[in-house]
């Protein structure tokens, strides 16, 4: 309630300030609010999606130039058309950049350099295309907001409309960031493969986010040109691109509101001081920047938030319910044939055949035997060099991880893969929504998910139910394992692949997890393939065991058969176990 009132107050105050300031200052304020929007769009990409653009001014400049050109050259409706086209053009260019740089596994540095190179290209285009862009001189005489002959904005309504639009654009970014869609971005930032295995096409999420940020920034740039009535290469320059990054860094890249206001405040100070104390001010900016990087690397807004009482913190209310049980989909067996994974000249998994029916199927073997690699292959995260596998009638061989998740495959990774910045409940909701909600609908849905009773039992066993609203970075290693295990079962899977699920858990937690796995596997009649070292768990839960050694299947059978198998004993004794 308090938080909502503050948000409404802040939104209304921005156009109010534009109205109350004098003509010159008010005009500047409207311009800086548009810089704020662009900075917040950068923060959405950087702080939430983990993609940094060093060429963010390109989107701003495209919007500004397209709107300016249309406003000047198309007499009737050119301004409105130009603003819309400016946003679309910036979004289109961002989408192309995303298609080039965000498709596969993303390296932050590589992508940042790509956008940096793009910036220089764009600056060159603007300087060379003089007949259209006006070259170094830019384009003067851009009309203010107007509807042709019907209406032309006077300076006061111009800046009030611009600031209202700026607040609207900021809110559109905030809606995305705080929705489950933003939650997926945050999970993918730390564990892209986990997010993919939860049912999300992560490259599409990233390209979509980057394009959307491009549209918003383009619209901001377009409005900027109607506000200044002039557009120059400054609007697509290295200086502006650098400023966007600095403002987001100082304001907090994880706080869109923080970035927005930081851009406005620093722009004002720069404008006031730069004329009089230019050198001193540049030096001061440098020192402020270094101080922030060293002292509050998360930015001012985050630092302030940390000092505020807990109830002021932005927190998503997540509604978790219990799913009405339905065991359809059970009864299908996993059949893997001739799975082979070759890395260079090294064969990590070598012609592995195995069938797992409803029940706990343990996969054991010495370190480096290829257990994790086999699970990676079966879950589509590292496509194998050869082999086919299916669950019941569904052929999984060619599926991408997110298709597999939607086909019922759930995976837990060897080291806990969760989103530390999200709460426990948000992690669970993201894990569940990957198979229930359409990706675009994620922007508009509430944080709400129905968990399976299995997931609830796992949470209870790990005593996590009382920690649902706790940010996951506060959890211990064992608690993170429990959380990811619950996330795995939250998607109501028909095949479960678990990589050392009990590593780091206490003996008590391990025992209750073993009990849950055993009862759920038989109740749901689904194959649960578990890589495990803990003999106590294997004895109490496994209905079948497959032993891997050097990438090959050494033996398969019941626990008893495996324990009495001379080859297995030799392999383990040879390993020094
Ligand atoms: P386990 O889980 O049984 O301990 P892994 O499946 O993690 O074993 O690894 C099996 C072997 O494959 C190891 O020798 C490991 O170094 C190698 N390996 C795993 N992943 C890769 C990779 N991406 N590139 C090269 N070698 C790999
Ligand atoms: Mg392993």
């Amino acid at each position: 309630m308090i938080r909502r009132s503050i948000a409404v107050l802040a939104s209304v105050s921005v156009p109010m300030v534009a109205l109350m300031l004098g003509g010159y200052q008010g005009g500047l304020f409207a311009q800086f609010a548009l810089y704020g929007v662009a900075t917040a769009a950068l923060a959405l990409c950087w702080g939430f999606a983990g993609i940094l653009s060093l060429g963010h001014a390109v989107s701003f400049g495209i919007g500004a130039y397209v709107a300016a050109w249309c406003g000047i050259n198309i007499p009737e409706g050119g301004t409105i058309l130009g603003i819309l086209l400016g946003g679309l053009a910036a979004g289109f260019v961002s989408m192309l950049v995303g298609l080039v740089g965000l498709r596969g596994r993303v390296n932050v540095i590589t992508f940042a350099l790509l956008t940096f190179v793009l910036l220089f290209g764009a600056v060159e285009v603007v300087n060379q295309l003089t007949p259209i862009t006006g070259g170094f001189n830019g384009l003067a005489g851009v009309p203010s907001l107007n509807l042709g002959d019907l209406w032309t904005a006077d300076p006061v309504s111009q800046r009030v409309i611009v600031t209202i639009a700026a607040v609207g654009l900021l809110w559109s970014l905030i809606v995305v960031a705080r929705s489950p869609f933003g939650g997926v971005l945050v999970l993918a930032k730390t564990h892209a493969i986990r997010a993919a295995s939860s049912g999300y096409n992560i490259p599409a999420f990233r390209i979509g986010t980057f394009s959307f940020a491009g549209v918003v920034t383009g619209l901001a740039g377009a409005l900027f040109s109607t506000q200044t009535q002039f557009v120059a290469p400054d609007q697509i320059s290295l200086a502006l691109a650098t400023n966007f990054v600095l403002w987001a860094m100082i304001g907090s890249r994880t706080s869109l509101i923080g970035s927005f206001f930081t851009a406005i405040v620093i722009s004002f100070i720069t404008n006031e001081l730069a004329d009089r104390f230019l050198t001193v001010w540049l030096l001061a900016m440098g020192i402020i920047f270094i101080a922030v990087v060293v002292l509050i690397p998360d930015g001012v807004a985050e630092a302030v938030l940390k000092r505020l009482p807990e109830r002021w913190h932005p927190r998503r209310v997540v509604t978790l319910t219990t799913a009405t049980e339905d065991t359809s989909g059970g009864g299908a067996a996993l059949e893997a044939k001739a799975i082979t994974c070759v890395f260079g000249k090294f064969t990590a998994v070598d012609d592995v055949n195995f069938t797992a029916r409803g029940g706990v199927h343990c996969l054991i073997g010495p370190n480096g035997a290829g257990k994790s690699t086999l699970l990676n292959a079966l879950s589509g995260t590292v496509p194998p060099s050869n082999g086919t596998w299916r669950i019941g009638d569904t052929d999984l061989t060619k599926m991408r991880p997110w298709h597999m998740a939607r086909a019922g495959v759930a995976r837990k990774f060897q080291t806990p893969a969760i989103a530390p910045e999200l709460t426990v409940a948000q992690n669970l909701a993201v894990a569940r929504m990957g198979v229930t909600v359409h990706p675009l609908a994620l922007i508009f849905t509430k944080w709400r998910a129905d968990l399976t009773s299995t997931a609830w039992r796992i949470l209870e066993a790990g005593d996590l139910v009382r920690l649902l609203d706790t940010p996951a970075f506060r959890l211990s290693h064992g608690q993170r394992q429990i959380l990811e295990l619950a996330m795995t079962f939250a998607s109501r899977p028909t095949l479960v692949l678990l990589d050392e699920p009990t590593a780091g858990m206490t003996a008590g937690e391990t025992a209750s997890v073993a009990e849950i796995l055993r009862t759920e596997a038989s109740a749901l009649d689904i194959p649960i393939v578990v890589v495990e070292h803990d003999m106590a768990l294997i004895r109490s839960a496994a209905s079948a065991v497959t032993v891997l050694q050097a990438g090959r299947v050494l033996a398969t059978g019941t626990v008893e058969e495996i324990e009495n198998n001379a080859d297995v004993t030799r392999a383990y004794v040879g390993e020094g176990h």
Side-chain angles (χ1 to χ4, degrees):
M1 190 59 208
I2 299 178
R3 294 181 37 77
R4 181 157 297 176
S5 324
I6 292 177
V8 171
L9 208 68
S11 306
V12 175
S13 69
V14 172
M16 289 298 282
V17 170
L19 191 62
M20 285 177 331
L21 286 174
Y24 174 67
Q25 298 282 343
L28 281 181
F29 182 79
Q31 292 170 32
F32 297 159
L34 294 167
Y35 281 160
V37 169
T39 309
L42 177 77
L44 174 68
C45 295
W46 189 10
F48 290 80
I51 43 187
L52 170 62
S53 169
L54 294 179
H56 196 55
V58 173
S59 297
F60 197 83
I62 289 176
Y65 272 99
V66 170
W69 191 90
C70 293
I72 294 169
N73 292 292
I74 305 173
E76 275 299 309
T79 300
I80 301 295
L81 180 73
I83 291 171
L84 296 178
L85 284 183
L88 286 180
F92 182 70
V93 170
S94 301
M95 190 181 74
L96 294 183
V97 174
L99 284 172
V100 172
L102 297 173
R103 273 225 303 217
R105 202 162 285 186
V106 173
N107 179 318
V108 180
I109 310 273
T110 314
F111 188 76
L113 289 177
L114 174 72
T115 53
F116 199 53
V117 171
L118 175 79
L119 175 67
F120 284 100
V123 170
E124 199 52 31
V125 168
V126 167
N127 286 335
Q128 297 299 327
L129 270 183
T130 317
I132 298 173
T133 62
F136 293 106
N137 300 323
L139 299 171
V142 181
S144 57
L145 290 169
N146 68 80
L147 297 172
D149 291 338
L150 287 176
W151 169 81
T152 298
D154 58 283
V156 176
S157 25
Q158 162 80 30
R159 60 179 189 262
V160 170
I161 293 172
V162 161
T163 44
I164 290 174
V167 171
L169 290 172
L170 175 65
W171 271 109
S172 74
L173 296 167
I174 292 174
V175 165
V176 172
R178 306 185 70 188
S179 70
F181 187 100
V184 174
L185 294 178
V186 171
L187 173 61
K189 185 172 64 166
T190 23
H191 284 291
I193 296 174
R194 158 89 256 165
S197 294
S198 297
Y200 302 106
N201 179 347
I202 293 308
F205 271 73
R206 288 183 174 144
I207 295 168
T209 306
F210 193 68
S211 310
F212 176 64
V215 170
V216 170
T217 307
L219 289 173
L223 289 165
F224 190 93
S225 72
T226 69
Q227 174 63 37
T228 53
Q229 306 196 345
F230 172 68
V231 56
D234 286 355
Q235 261 63 75
I236 202 161
S237 62
L238 175 62
L240 186 60
T242 311
N243 276 334
F244 287 145
V245 174
L246 293 187
W247 295 332
M249 176 97 203
I250 295 173
S252 287
R253 50 200 180 278
T254 46
S255 165
L256 304 186
I257 297 179
S259 310
F260 176 79
F261 283 108
T262 303
I264 296 179
V265 169
I266 297 186
S267 297
F268 254 113
I269 301 177
T270 307
N271 190 68
E272 280 297 308
L273 298 187
D275 294 342
R276 276 168 273 171
F277 315 102
L278 182 62
T279 6
V280 184
W281 171 243
L282 287 180
L283 195 66
M285 261 313 282
I287 293 170
I288 292 173
F289 178 67
I290 292 169
V292 167
V293 171
V294 174
L295 300 175
I296 37 171
D298 292 336
V300 175
E302 281 294 331
V304 170
L305 264 181
K306 259 182 213 146
R307 278 161 187 73
L308 290 177
E310 190 87 5
R311 70 198 154 89
W312 285 63
H313 286 207
R315 186 187 298 136
R316 296 283 75 196
V317 180
V318 185
T319 317
L320 294 179
T321 53
T322 308
T324 42
E325 232 26 77
D326 137 40
T327 47
S328 66
L334 166 70
E335 276 177 82
K337 293 206 180 86
I339 307 287
T340 303
C341 297
V342 179
F343 299 114
K345 286 187 178 151
F346 176 71
T347 306
V349 173
D350 192 1
D351 192 26
V352 166
N353 296 284
F354 86 107
T355 302
R357 295 177 213 291
V360 175
H361 192 118
C362 283
L363 209 54
I364 65 170
N367 275 335
K371 305 179 297 292
S372 295
T373 307
L374 179 59
L375 290 202
N376 285 341
L378 295 176
S379 59
T381 50
V382 179
S385 339
N386 189 32
T388 58
W389 66 106
R390 56 172 58 244
I391 170 90
D393 295 331
T394 314
D395 187 4
L396 302 173
T397 309
K398 295 249 152 39
M399 283 192 191
R400 308 301 304 269
W402 50 90
H403 293 142
M404 249 186 234
R406 289 182 179 245
V409 181
R411 164 83 194 268
K412 166 159 181 7
F413 293 82
Q414 185 165 349
T415 46
I418 54 163
E421 292 157 64
L422 301 180
T423 65
V424 170
Q426 281 181 306
N427 272 285
L428 290 159
V430 165
R432 173 70 178 134
M433 289 170 146
V435 297
T436 53
V437 183
H438 186 275
L440 281 178
L442 285 171
I443 297 174
F444 306 101
T445 35
K446 289 219 157 69
W447 280 95
R448 176 191 296 275
D450 56 336
L451 298 188
T452 56
S453 58
T454 319
W456 282 115
R457 284 187 62 196
I458 294 167
L459 293 171
E460 274 158 19
D463 200 15
L464 281 189
V465 178
R466 67 193 168 84
L467 298 178
L468 285 176
D469 288 328
T470 305
F473 65 78
R474 298 236 177 95
L475 301 184
S476 71
H477 181 81
Q479 287 173 322
R480 289 175 194 218
Q481 291 280 64
I482 299 266
L483 171 57
E484 201 200 348
L485 194 60
M487 287 163 71
T488 307
F489 279 94
S491 61
R492 189 185 299 243
T494 48
L495 166 65
V496 180
L497 307 167
L498 305 175
D499 202 347
E500 308 201 12
T502 61
M505 284 186 196
T506 64
E509 286 167 343
T510 304
S512 39
V513 166
E515 172 59 16
I516 291 170
L517 292 183
R518 193 181 59 74
T519 51
E520 297 304 311
S522 59
L524 303 173
D525 195 19
I526 58 172
I528 303 182
V529 179
V530 189
V531 172
E532 191 48 73
H533 291 299
D534 190 305
M535 269 323 282
L537 185 146
I538 296 172
R539 283 197 193 102
S540 71
S543 52
V545 179
T546 292
V547 187
L548 280 189
Q549 194 199 14
R552 299 189 133 259
V553 175
L554 187 64
T556 291
T558 62
V559 181
E560 204 167 64
E561 284 163 1
I562 293 299
E563 283 191 304
N564 296 324
N565 184 312
D567 289 340
V568 176
T569 316
R570 210 172 305 125
Y572 271 88
V573 172
E575 268 282 312
H577 280 254

